[in-house]
């Protein structure tokens, strides 16, 4: 009973219930005292039967409780906690360096990887409203990444109702510029007059192309990239409006493009497409890429439906358009390419490495918390509540994380330089990889989350123990700690997932290295050359130049064969429709496509491509004889199964159909990279119709020695024939083959590095836990030895505990790897994501690594002196 009148007692009980709820606003250590004080005041108020004052009194309890809560997080108290944490860290610099260094490695690797992902995937392309930009691929029944023809482009541009602007550019190209310095080969592209307006780009100086300049009937004009303008003309603004010599012709520079385009578009010289030329009217000649800007409110699905309707109309008018259409994709997806998924996987992998580093630090903090039990006891006895202790311990963890983040930025800077140098030819826009505001924000967030992540568990573990258990544990070990064992098992599990992924990619890379390419790349040097049309106006002049150049190159000492070709293996090429002359296709769908390559006589000798049937090209083909063709083995087997292909005739449509006799069959060659298919290939003689004529040429030289030593003699031979020609892309064929697997090697090596780091961290974590456990249990071990336990049994006890933890981690990791490795399916070549050999090897490696981590703590346990341990 309260001693109050019945009515007042009812109000008092109501007030007590309200205060019981409001007490949760008060810090934990003061809740009960606060509630009792406010209940006493309520009793005194009710004893005076002052009902209105009781209501106001209870209303004032809320701000009072909030003030108490706010007072526990005052700025001066936070600063005090920071200063105390800093003093604690300074007293143990070795521990601080170990924790901060471990975090720096994890945070630095994550920051570096995020900077790559940010530049390549997250940061939008440098154009206004990039979400409305779309890219167009030509799509056939069996191939959906083709180009489009100029007539098709013009038809789609006129008929579509979903784009505000539709532009096109050439697939690629090069030009020789001789003004402003020595002759130089640069990437050059042809574009429609509205190309840059479609992207939303204004010139830095001058103007863009005019619609009339698309016809190619006036004087030549060009746009220069910012980089070329600076490098070759010193950034002189007077170059705009003047004529420079490009491909041997005077060309007016009408504008300079902004600097930001140098990283997103590969060309340095831009020329207008000339739709007035005769070859631009051939509907089978697919040479353009399209880019458009959607009208506001139009979706990709609506735009595709509109383009499909146009395709059906064109198919009725032009039989060659049967099964052909334009496929729309977001422009950003084309800029990123096929590496987006690989980068996301690598970012997830490096995040797992950070998780392992945090687990290691958490284990260190848990071990340190055990040694600080006396300190926590004293602080509790002096009145510190659990919230106060948790705040102090989290402040220390956040300070460690801040130090790790600062050091991590230094690590990230170094790693970004390495990644940038190693992947410049693999990843797009790598020059944009830098530490900017978004990367700094990412580092700050990761550091804060890391500090909370590895600091919360030790803090809660420390304050969860009550006073009596702390007193009882002082001076003796705590025995088995399932929390620390669980963290180590988690490390091993994560390491297993990473190692399995790395093993699968490595095995895939080995499989790629064993693929038969169909040619011998060793000892081969390649280069390419562009002949300016103004200086080689007819086919005959160009053919004479190529013939004389290959003759001179073949006479260089050490050269076993010198040849020329329109397309190098592994680099792709042009295609054409073909059919047996005596079996014309009944409809467009029956026509087959094959890659077409023009070569000189010694091409097959230079690449050591075997001639399986018939012969190679001979000098007699140069003198206007009947057209001769050489086909690949797969094409011959498909057209003439079980029969000889030589002597048969093929019709080939490369714009103007013609027929030729098959004089030889050669082995299949990988034309689209090691992992690409073996396409049907038709080889033309370079000196017959269908050859490369004027324009682009690749040189191929075979030598018994180091092919790189031929670079200077080749340049000298070209200069002797024409000093204004610029040789480019001088490289060994072996490097071309390596570049074809560069994306796979990038992913495999980076993931392997992350996996090795993860395993090392897991092994260190296991060693640390076992070593600390041996130290904690030294008294117990001493008693065991004093009572007659054999040292071998003690050794087995420690090793058994470690292997049990490792075994649990490996088991969980293998289960996780089965699920996680499925995301690698698109990255693997001739390897299943559940390859048992990889899984078994990873389990064995981790088991051996775990055993190695247990041996030293186990040996230390066997050396415990029983008397010393018991006395201690």
């Amino acid at each position: 009973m309260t001693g109050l009148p019945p009515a007042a007692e009812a109000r008092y009980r109501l007030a007590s219930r309200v205060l019981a709820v409001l007490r949760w606003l008060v810090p934990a250590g003061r809740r009960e005292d606060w509630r009792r004080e406010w209940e006493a005041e309520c009793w005194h108020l009710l004893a005076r039967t002052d009902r209105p004052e009781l209501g106001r009194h209870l209303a004032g309890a809320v701000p009072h409780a909030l003030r108490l809560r706010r007072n526990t997080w005052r700025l001066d108290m936070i600063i005090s906690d920071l200063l105390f944490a800093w003093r604690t860290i300074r007293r143990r610099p070795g521990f601080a360096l170990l924790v901060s260094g471990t975090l720096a490695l994890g945070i630095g690797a994550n920051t570096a990887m995020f900077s790559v992902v940010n530049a390549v995937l997250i940061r939008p392309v440098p154009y206004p409203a990039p979400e409305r930009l779309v890219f167009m691929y030509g799509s056939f029944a069996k191939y959906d990444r083709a180009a489009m023809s100029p007539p098709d482009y013009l038809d789609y541009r006129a008929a579509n109702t979903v784009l505000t602007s539709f532009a096109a550019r050439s697939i690629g190209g090069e030009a020789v510029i001789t003004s402003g310095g020595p002759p130089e080969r640069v990437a050059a592209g042809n574009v429609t007059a509205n190309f840059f307006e479609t992207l939303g780009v204004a010139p830095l100086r001058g103007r863009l192309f005019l619609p009339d300049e698309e016809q190619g009937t006036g004087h030549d004009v060009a746009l220069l990239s910012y980089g070329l303008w600076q490098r070759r003309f010193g950034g002189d603004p007077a170059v705009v409006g003047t004529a420079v010599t490009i491909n041997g012709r005077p060309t007016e520079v009408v504008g300079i493009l902004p600097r930001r385009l140098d990283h997103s578009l590969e060309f340095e010289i831009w020329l207008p497409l000339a739709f007035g030329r005769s070859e631009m009217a051939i509907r089978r000649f697919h040479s353009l890429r399209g880019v458009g800007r959607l009208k506001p409110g139009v979706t990709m699905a609506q735009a595709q439906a509109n383009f499909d309707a146009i395709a059906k109309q064109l198919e009725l008018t032009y039989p060659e358009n049967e099964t052909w259409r334009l496929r729309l994709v977001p422009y950003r997806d084309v800029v990123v390419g096929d590496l987006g998924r690989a980068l996301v996987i690598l970012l997830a992998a490096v995040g797992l490495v950070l998780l392992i580093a945090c687990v290691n630090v958490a284990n260190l903090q848990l071990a340190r918390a055990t040694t600080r039990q006396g300190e926590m006891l004293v602080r509790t006895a002096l009145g510190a509540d659990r919230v106060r202790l948790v705040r102090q311990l989290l402040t220390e963890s956040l300070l460690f994380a801040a130090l790790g983040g600062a050091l991590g930025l230094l690590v990230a800077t170094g790693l970004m330089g390495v990644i940038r140098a190693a992947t410049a030819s693999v990843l797009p826009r790598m020059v944009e990889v830098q530490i900017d505001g978004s990367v700094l924000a990412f580092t700050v967030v990761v550091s804060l989350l890391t500090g909370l992540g590895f600091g919360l568990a030790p803090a809660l573990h420390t304050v969860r123990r009550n006073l009596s258990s702390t007193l009882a544990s002082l001076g003796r070990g705590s025995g088995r700690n399932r929390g620390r064992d669980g963290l180590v098992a988690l490390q091993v599990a994560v390491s297993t997932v990473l190692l399995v992924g790395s093993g699968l990619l490595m095995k895939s890379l080995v499989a790629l290295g064993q693929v038969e390419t169909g040619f011998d790349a060793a000892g081969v040097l390649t280069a390419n050359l562009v002949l300016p049309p103004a200086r080689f106006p007819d086919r005959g002049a160009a053919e004479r130049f190529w013939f004389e150049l290959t003759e001179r190159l073949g006479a260089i000492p050490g050269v076993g064969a010198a040849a020329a070709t329109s397309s190098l293996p592994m680099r792709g090429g042009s295609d054409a429709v073909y059919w047996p002359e005596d079996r014309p296709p009944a409809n467009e769908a029956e026509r087959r496509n094959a890659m077409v390559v023009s070569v000189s006589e010694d091409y097959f000798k230079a690449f050591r491509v075997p001639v399986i049937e018939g012969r190679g090209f001979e000098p007699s083909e140069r003198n206007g004889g009947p057209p001769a063709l050489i086909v690949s083995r797969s094409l011959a087997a498909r057209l003439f199964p079980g029969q000889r292909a030589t002597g048969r005739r093929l019709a080939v449509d490369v714009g103007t159909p013609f027929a030729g006799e098959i004089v030889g069959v050669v082995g299949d060659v990988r034309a689209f990279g090691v992992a690409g298919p073996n396409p049907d290939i038709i080889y033309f003689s370079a000196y017959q119709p269908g050859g490369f004529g004027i324009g682009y040429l690749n040189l191929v030289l075979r030598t018994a020695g180091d092919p790189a030593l031929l670079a200077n003699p080749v340049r000298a031979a070209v200069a002797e024939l024409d000093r204004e020609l610029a040789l480019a892309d001088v490289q060994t064929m072996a490097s071309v083959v390596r570049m074809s697997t560069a994306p796979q090697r990038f992913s495999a090596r980076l993931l392997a590095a992350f996996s090795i780091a993860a395993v090392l961290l897991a092994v260190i974590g296991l060693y640390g836990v076992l070593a600390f456990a041996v130290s904690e249990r030294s008294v117990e071990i001493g008693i065991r030895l004093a009572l007659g336990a054999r040292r071998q049994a003690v050794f087995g006890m420690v090793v058994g505990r470690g292997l049990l933890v490792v075994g649990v981690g490996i088991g969980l990791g293998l289960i996780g790897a089965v699920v996680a490795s499925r995301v690698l399916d698109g990255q693997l070549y001739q390897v299943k994501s559940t390859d048992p050999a990889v899984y078994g090897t990873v389990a064995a490696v981790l088991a051996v690594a775990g055993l190695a981590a247990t041996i030293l703590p186990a040996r230390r346990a066997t050396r415990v002196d029983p008397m010393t341990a018991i006395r201690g």
Side-chain angles (χ1 to χ4, degrees), residues 223-293:
L223 293 166
L224 303 183
S225 71
Y226 181 90
L228 181 65
W229 178 52
Q230 292 290 326
R231 184 180 73 249
R232 197 162 181 95
F233 300 98
D236 183 6
V239 73
V240 177
T242 63
V244 299
T245 304
I246 298 175
N247 288 335
R249 297 172 61 93
T251 305
E252 180 187 356
V253 176
V254 297
I256 307 296
L257 295 173
R259 183 176 186 174
R260 59 192 170 94
L261 294 187
D262 289 359
H263 304 326
S264 58
L265 297 172
E266 66 272 26
F267 299 130
E268 292 193 278
I269 291 178
W270 300 83
L271 307 169
L273 277 168
F275 287 102
R277 298 200 307 263
S278 58
E279 62 267 25
M280 299 293 278
I282 302 174
R283 195 167 290 271
R284 290 189 183 278
F285 184 47
H286 300 116
S287 59
L288 301 180
R289 299 291 194 196
V291 59
R293 184 172 288 276

Side-chain angles (χ1 to χ4, degrees), residues 27 95 100-101 132 152 177 194 235 241 312 323 340 474 535 573 603 636 744 746 768 773 775 816 829 843:
F95 181 82
S100 300
R132 289 171 49 203
D152 284 321
I177 181 170
N194 65 338
K312 291 181 180 179
T323 76
L474 288 176
R535 306 193 56 223
Y603 174 84
Q744 292 87 347
F746 165 74
S775 175
Y829 179 77

Side-chain angles (χ1 to χ4, degrees), residues 115-116 412-427 429-435 746:
S115 66
V116 175
T413 302
L415 286 177
M416 281 192 297
V418 174
I419 295 175
R420 191 184 295 115
T423 61
S425 58
V426 180
L427 295 175
R429 304 172 66 186
M430 281 304 293
V431 292
E432 298 181 36
V433 174
Q434 57 185 345
I435 296 180
F746 165 74

